[in-house]
Amino acid sequence: MKSRVLSPCRDIDYYEAHEQDIRLEDITSDDINAEILRMLRYDDWNDLVNLINLSRERTNAGDSSRFAIRENDDCGWLGYFIGKSQKLEMMFFDYFLGRERIDALMVGLCCNQSIQRIQVDRDIGEVGFRGLGNFLGNNQSVKHMNFYSFDIGSECAQNIASMFGQCQYTSLKHIEICENNLHDEEFAQIAAALAVQPQIEELVLCDNIIGRLGCIALGSTLKSWRAPSLKKLYISIRDIDDECIQVMAAGMINCSSLSELNLSGRYLTGEVGLRSFADVFQSESCCMEKLCLSEMSIGFDGASALAAGFSRCSSLKSLNLSHNILGDAGLDAIVAGLANSSNLEELLLSSNGIFSSTGLGSLATLFRTAENLKELSLANNGINDEGLQALSAGMRNRCNVSKLNLSNNAITDVGLQALVSGLINNSKLDNLQLSGHRSITAAGLRSLSAFFQSESCALKTIWIVDMSIGDDGASALADALVGNKSLKELRLSCNTSGITALGWSAFSKLLCDTSSINNTYLSNHTLELIGRWHNGDTPPDIARYLEIKRRFVTQVAMVKVITSHPHLKMEPFFPWRLKFLPLVVACFDKVKFIFGLSETGQDLSIVYQFVRGMPLFVVRSYAGENAHRKRKRDEREA
């Protein structure tokens, strides 16, 4: 048994003097740790492993990137080899080392110039964070620092704040603090310390408990920055008020490079704070492209306040106002504010109460001005047939939407028929979500045929999950998709769709009509998925046809013919002579290999038919090839 290896704090000169003599097995506790040191020592990292994770133990015994620190591991040598590496890119801290070991580790670690990302997965203590601060001060490569999924209490927050407050770390561009149960007062300390880090470009603060104090501290920090570089800010908030929003807005105005803002939370008192956001969008330096204000109880007053700012923000490309309380009045205000947003590409308005024909009629006018709009989400808004008719009317002449989400509304067959009339000329739509509409029957699904059969149809995915379409619905869809060349994914809930063997037989015939070779060849060879995920709940025969599409991209029809018709007639291919024969035989071999088929004699039968039908041609080809080989041999011998 190895004796315990201590980790005294030696200087770099010591390690350089003894490097050639040290045996890695003597300073590590197992073979994997020794191998990690070897890779660090010689920078022998493969393309898949360029990170090291310091932890207590390995959850997976074969994890070759996890250095499990035990009593027999010398952290001084570990730090030295990390410091020497020029290829190591990521380092994870998942273990509290203690003062002696962290000090020994940092001596060498502070020499490293290759690490680009640091992730802290647990509280590493005052000594650990101070050591990381020294490392960040010396390293000019670290761009990302993440704190992920561990509780940041009061003492830990103070240590993190002290680390960020030591000095400016000019290379550090991205900070993420996510799922840390970080409370308001603790975050306020960290936010204040970030005042010396104006070079930060992305700040992500999700799934914590950040409220009024933290937001005010962050807003003050943003406002204090000189020449700030912030481009993206993501923050989850709770219990904020108008004053808090006003302070944050003032800080955002100072960040003239801010292009993405995601501010989501469950509470907001009124429109006064949102009016201050309008000032952000109206500032001359505003370059906002992506804005998310979800779960903030935004109604008509708040929407009106925001709309005033949108009217001056021509750079906006994505707007997410999902999970608010807009209603028709709020929707009308938002549409009015976006009238000049010609660059808008994404509009997400799911879960906003009830949108009637009045609000949706207003929204339909947006298709005339927002010509670049590619994604529209209106899920869970109580939209009925009348409302969908109003929306579809605006989609008929000018609509370039490629992704449309109408899931979980109140649409019936009548509404679906109206939707088809609006989409019939749309050549851009490739993703349509209609899930959750149990009132849609086979009659409504049958109306999709006009869209699927239109020359302009480019739809690749349709979602009808959580809909009991039954056998009649399955037959209607199968009939509608005959001849369609665009749809690849038909996503439905196989187990709750109400489809029996009768309905699945319609899909089977769609994919491979075995009534004749010609009908098999003319079957649908475009579909790749029928079900919810990866064909896992799809009946085996259907899954097999879909697997052929996945495995044989350009030979789908031929493979279906071969696997479905055991006695092929080769006479129609005789005009191609022997050019066709190798292709067919090779295809047989591939089919048997992939699907594990036993020898059926089909390939031998084909060869026999060719030889019997063209004996003289086969003999001449064989004789000619032999003569050619003999001539080449004679030339070499001469």
Side-chain angles (χ1 to χ4, degrees):
M1 175 181 281
K2 297 179 183 179
S3 60
R4 178 177 177 180
V5 176
L6 299 178
S7 300
C9 190
R10 313 179 184 102
D11 59 25
I12 294 297
D13 292 340
Y14 170 86
Y15 296 109
E16 290 178 345
H18 292 81
E19 180 181 356
Q20 300 303 319
D21 302 324
I22 197 71
R23 294 178 69 253
L24 301 183
E25 294 78 6
D26 294 337
I27 55 174
T28 52
S29 59
D30 63 22
D31 293 340
I32 293 180
N33 284 1
E35 175 62 14
I36 291 174
L37 285 195
R38 188 197 66 77
M39 289 191 293
L40 288 168
R41 187 181 203 173
Y42 300 109
D43 254 353
D44 184 22
W45 299 90
N46 60 44
D47 293 336
L48 299 178
V49 180
N50 58 0
L51 63 90
I52 184 171
N53 189 331
L54 305 185
S55 62
R56 176 75 180 187
E57 288 294 341
R58 298 183 188 90
T59 54
N60 180 358
D63 189 346
S64 60
S65 66
R66 189 176 292 270
F67 193 99
I69 299 177
R70 307 184 185 94
E71 288 186 352
N72 296 322
D73 293 294
D74 191 313
C75 290
W77 280 106
L78 172 62
Y80 171 71
F81 288 126
I82 291 174
K84 282 190 60 179
S85 176
Q86 297 180 19
K87 294 183 179 179
L88 184 64
E89 295 180 2
M90 293 178 280
M91 189 165 181
F92 291 54
F93 287 85
D94 192 23
Y95 179 47
F96 176 69
L97 298 175
R99 179 180 295 274
E100 181 183 86
R101 284 186 156 189
I102 198 69
D103 283 343
L105 177 74
M106 290 300 170
V107 171
L109 181 64
C110 287
C111 297
N112 179 277
Q113 294 297 323
S114 67
I115 295 175
Q116 300 177 27
R117 180 187 295 270
I118 292 286
Q119 179 163 313
V120 181
D121 293 329
R122 64 159 296 158
D123 185 356
I124 58 176
E126 184 270 335
V127 176
F129 285 115
R130 176 165 47 81
L132 275 184
N134 294 333
F135 166 67
L136 292 171
N138 287 282
N139 182 288
Q140 298 301 312
S141 299
V142 175
K143 297 179 181 179
H144 300 261
M145 189 158 195
N146 302 346
F147 302 85
Y148 180 68
S149 194
F150 72 96
D151 286 351
I152 296 180
S154 178
E155 185 176 351
C156 181
Q158 187 175 2
N159 293 331
I160 294 173
S162 298
M163 177 189 68
F164 282 131
Q166 285 184 31
C167 64
Q168 183 179 1
Y169 308 127
T170 55
S171 67
L172 187 61
K173 305 297 182 183
H174 307 268
I175 296 177
E176 294 188 21
I177 306 177
C178 297
E179 299 182 25
N180 298 106
N181 197 30
L182 181 61
H183 286 251
D184 200 23
E185 296 82 356
E186 284 74 25
F187 174 69
Q189 298 180 62
I190 297 174
L194 291 175
V196 296
Q197 309 296 337
Q199 81 290 340
I200 294 298
E201 296 179 359
E202 183 172 351
L203 190 56
V204 180
L205 308 163
C206 295
D207 299 316
N208 288 295
I209 312 173
I210 299 173
R212 184 177 184 276
L213 293 177
C215 288
I216 289 178
L218 179 60
S220 300
T221 289
L222 299 182
K223 188 175 182 180
S224 71
W225 281 346
R226 294 185 179 181
S229 300
L230 190 66
K231 297 178 181 179
K232 300 179 182 180
L233 175 60
Y234 290 67
I235 179 170
S236 303
I237 53 177
R238 294 189 183 185
D239 297 312
I240 60 173
D241 55 22
D242 287 335
E243 179 188 359
C244 169
I245 292 294
Q246 289 173 321
V247 174
M248 288 193 66
M252 293 175 195
I253 291 175
N254 183 50
C255 298
S256 58
S257 297
L258 187 63
S259 60
E260 290 189 24
L261 173 62
N262 187 321
L263 185 64
S264 58
R266 291 180 295 179
Y267 306 103
L268 190 65
T269 56
E271 76 280 1
V272 176
L274 290 175
R275 195 172 296 123
S276 64
F277 267 141
D279 296 336
V280 176
F281 307 134
Q282 290 177 336
S283 64
E284 295 182 0
S285 61
C286 179
C287 61
M288 190 71 67
E289 295 183 358
K290 191 171 184 179
L291 175 64
C292 175
L293 299 173
S294 63
E295 299 181 289
M296 295 185 66
S297 303
I298 299 173
F300 169 69
D301 291 337
S304 299
L306 287 173
F310 294 156
S311 63
R312 295 276 302 275
C313 186
S314 59
S315 60
L316 193 63
K317 294 182 179 180
S318 173
L319 177 60
N320 184 352
L321 294 175
S322 298
H323 301 280
N324 285 294
I325 51 174
L326 292 178
D328 281 339
L331 179 59
D332 186 65
I334 293 297
V335 170
L338 295 174
N340 297 320
S341 299
S342 58
N343 292 315
L344 190 67
E345 298 178 359
E346 182 180 63
L347 182 59
L348 309 181
L349 300 171
S350 297
S351 302
N352 265 288
I354 302 294
F355 288 166
S356 72
S357 58
T358 303
L360 292 169
S362 176
L363 179 61
T365 64
L366 194 62
F367 296 129
R368 295 197 297 267
T369 56
E371 296 183 355
N372 292 311
L373 187 63
K374 298 176 181 177
E375 180 174 354
L376 177 62
S377 180
L378 297 169
N380 198 29
N381 283 312
I383 298 173
N384 59 20
D385 294 337
E386 185 181 357
L388 194 54
Q389 288 170 343
L391 181 69
S392 300
M395 301 173 71
R396 291 193 183 112
N397 298 321
R398 188 181 296 180
C399 178
N400 295 318
V401 171
S402 59
K403 184 175 182 180
L404 178 60
N405 188 352
L406 293 168
S407 299
N408 300 309
N409 283 294
I411 302 170
T412 70
D413 292 340
V414 175
L416 184 55
Q417 291 164 2
L419 177 64
V420 169
S421 69
L423 295 175
I424 199 72
N425 296 318
N426 186 306
S427 61
K428 305 291 185 181
L429 188 69
D430 64 18
N431 191 306
L432 176 61
Q433 299 185 37
L434 296 170
S435 297
H437 291 107
R438 293 185 171 271
S439 296
I440 291 179
T441 68
L445 295 174
R446 197 169 290 115
S447 68
L448 288 170
S449 178
F451 179 46
F452 288 145
Q453 301 298 326
S454 67
E455 294 182 359
S456 59
C457 181
L459 193 68
K460 295 180 180 178
T461 303
I462 185 169
W463 294 75
I464 52 172
V465 175
D466 296 327
M467 292 172 59
S468 183
I469 63 174
D471 291 336
D472 290 341
S475 298
L477 283 171
D479 292 341
L481 287 169
V482 172
N484 178 273
K485 302 294 185 182
S486 66
L487 194 72
K488 294 184 177 182
E489 298 181 354
L490 175 57
R491 293 192 176 263
L492 52 82
S493 305
C494 296
N495 297 328
T496 59
S497 61
I499 304 176
T500 69
L502 180 64
W504 287 116
S505 67
F507 283 128
S508 181
K509 184 178 180 180
L510 167 71
L511 295 171
C512 188
D513 185 348
T514 60
S515 60
S516 70
I517 292 177
N518 192 54
N519 287 341
T520 301
Y521 182 80
L522 295 176
S523 299
N524 185 299
H525 308 310
T526 307
L527 273 169
E528 298 176 0
L529 185 148
I530 299 178
R532 194 157 190 172
W533 309 109
H534 310 298
N535 297 315
D537 52 356
T538 309
D541 61 324
I542 306 293
R544 186 166 178 267
Y545 292 137
L546 297 170
E547 179 71 2
I548 290 175
K549 168 60 180 174
R550 190 179 72 83
R551 299 261 186 128
F552 300 89
V553 178
T554 59
Q555 298 174 310
V556 181
M558 182 185 292
V559 173
K560 287 182 180 178
V561 168
I562 289 172
T563 56
S564 302
H565 299 276
H567 303 292
L568 293 173
K569 300 292 185 181
M570 289 292 105
E571 287 85 351
F573 302 105
F574 283 176
W576 290 7
R577 298 188 176 183
L578 296 183
K579 294 179 181 178
F580 184 74
L581 184 57
L583 296 176
V584 177
V585 174
C587 192
F588 267 114
D589 290 339
K590 190 173 183 181
V591 170
K592 288 188 292 185
F593 173 76
I594 290 179
F595 290 98
L597 300 180
S598 60
E599 295 291 339
T600 62
Q602 249 181 312
D603 45 356
L604 296 177
S605 174
I606 288 174
V607 174
Y608 172 74
Q609 290 185 57
F610 267 91
V611 174
R612 182 181 180 186
M614 298 181 293
L616 293 179
F617 183 79
V618 173
V619 171
R620 289 194 197 101
S621 298
Y622 178 76
E625 179 64 24
N626 279 346
H628 175 73
R629 291 175 181 171
K630 185 176 182 301
R631 185 169 58 252
K632 289 290 187 181
R633 185 170 61 251
D634 293 342
E635 290 175 357
R636 288 196 299 270
E637 292 175 353

